[in-house]
Amino acid sequence: MQKTGLDTASFDLIRDKRGQYVFLEVNPQGNIDMLNWCGYELEKKISRIIINKYKRTISS
């Protein structure tokens, strides 16, 4: 993220047969739609992290 200069983004990766991760693309707008399918409520956890990080900015 530091090299791209982005605050948020979605990275698409796959894992090859040797277990190595292969980068496919980065989407600077982000995309968390797929997270809803797994049942872990990751979108809520990500929201809490973002809110807590910017709490002072939001309440000002």
Side-chain angles (χ1 to χ4, degrees), residues 33-44:
D33 291 340
M34 301 268 308
L35 296 180
N36 294 330
W37 296 354
C38 62
Y40 295 117
E41 296 187 338
L42 294 176
E43 71 281 2
K44 290 181 183 179

Side-chain angles (χ1 to χ4, degrees), residues 11-27:
F11 290 84
D12 290 340
L13 307 165
I14 58 171
R15 205 162 152 185
D16 67 17
K17 293 179 181 180
R18 297 175 302 188
Q20 299 294 312
Y21 289 97
V22 179
F23 171 79
L24 298 176
E25 68 175 344
V26 61
N27 179 348

